[in-house]
Amino acid sequence: MNKKLAAALSGGAVLVLALSGCSSDEVDEGQKVDAWAKTFCDQAKPQIQKRADAQQTIISTAADGKPADVQAADSKAFQDIADTDKALAKAVESAGVPPVENGEKLRQDAIKELNATATAYEGLRKQVDALDPKDQQKFADGLQGVADGLKRIEKMDQDALAKIQSGELGKAMAKQPGCQKTRASVAPTATSGPAKPGDAAPASPSAAASGSASAKPSAPAKPSTSAKPSASTSAASE
């Protein structure tokens, strides 16, 4: 059931940077760019980890989870991802204007888009919370709608930091430990034995909401859904 969400999130919303770094003036400018990247990435690191953990939680409950368990896991994961996007927006804001061409516009656009994505994830959480886990068919149908919405939001997530992850700024961010791709600290839970009749939720329709989103500040690698998440964010892609 959670397979579709996980598939939608699977390559995507994890915000981890997957970007690849002379006159004295150029050296000075490079140092300023590196300093900005360090300021941002140091603040982004715990958020990237939180996102990865949220995505792993979704994946861990994807196989044989009961509808109520899937609902609770997905709801919390979507809220956690929304919180990370809000925190990343604040990190961009507090880092100041990036020392690159059109830096202020890049900064404002990233803040606006990250906050918009956070609101969208909160909308998904509300959508999941509204599902009835007691009616397995309706729950499966509703989860399919969530998976469809997730694919759209993951695109937003990936676009949010795309601009500041380009050019010299992106190269500087890619070198920072805080913006490197991270592994989930939540251990996947293996399901033991076949599910008992009536225990597990039916696989959500079109379990093929497979996401091909590339991790952004790597975001966190996004899981394979009950609702699998993503990463558009390579480093700070989910």
Side-chain angles (χ1 to χ4, degrees):
M1 165 129 298
N2 236 20
K3 289 181 180 179
K4 290 197 171 181
L5 287 183
L9 289 183
S10 75
V14 177
L15 294 173
V16 172
L17 289 179
L19 306 173
S20 355
C22 261
S23 68
S24 60
D25 285 344
E26 290 175 327
V27 170
D28 289 343
E29 287 304 310
Q31 291 176 339
K32 291 178 181 178
V33 172
D34 286 343
W36 188 95
K38 184 178 188 308
T39 298
F40 169 75
C41 292
D42 285 352
Q43 297 178 70
K45 184 175 182 178
Q47 305 309 322
I48 293 173
Q49 182 65 62
K50 183 176 181 179
R51 176 186 286 267
D53 290 346
Q55 294 170 342
Q56 183 58 56
T57 294
I58 290 177
I59 295 174
S60 297
T61 59
D64 296 327
K66 295 179 181 179
D69 293 338
V70 169
Q71 181 180 47
D74 289 352
S75 177
K76 183 179 186 304
F78 286 142
Q79 185 59 57
D80 284 348
I81 294 173
D83 291 343
T84 65
D85 278 341
K86 291 178 184 178
L88 287 171
K90 290 182 179 179
V92 172
E93 183 174 19
S94 64
V97 178
V100 295
E101 185 176 359
N102 297 320
E104 178 58 27
K105 186 177 187 305
L106 291 177
R107 177 171 172 253
Q108 293 303 323
D109 286 350
I111 292 171
K112 179 180 179 180
E113 290 171 18
L114 282 167
N115 282 324
T117 303
T119 298
Y121 273 113
E122 289 178 332
L124 275 187
R125 175 188 58 77
K126 293 176 182 178
Q127 193 174 336
V128 169
D129 289 346
L131 299 178
D132 181 5
K134 295 179 182 178
D135 187 325
Q136 291 191 14
Q137 186 56 55
K138 286 185 178 180
F139 185 76
D141 293 343
L143 203 59
Q144 177 57 44
V146 172
D148 292 341
L150 179 60
K151 287 192 291 184
R152 292 192 295 271
I153 295 174
E154 286 217 316
K155 177 64 168 58
M156 292 171 59
D157 216 356
Q158 292 169 10
D159 291 344
L161 290 171
K163 292 180 181 178
I164 64 172
Q165 286 179 266
S166 63
E168 292 304 308
L169 200 58
K171 292 178 182 178
M173 291 169 73
K175 294 186 292 184
Q176 294 299 321
C179 280
Q180 298 302 315
K181 186 172 182 178
T182 186
R183 296 192 178 197
S185 60
V186 177
T189 58
T191 53
S192 58
K196 296 180 180 179
D199 277 357
S204 37
S206 86
S210 73
S212 60
S214 52
K216 287 193 170 181
S218 198
K222 304 195 169 191
S224 64
T225 282
S226 25
K228 283 188 180 181
S230 88
S232 19
T233 264
S234 61
S237 239
E238 319 76 14

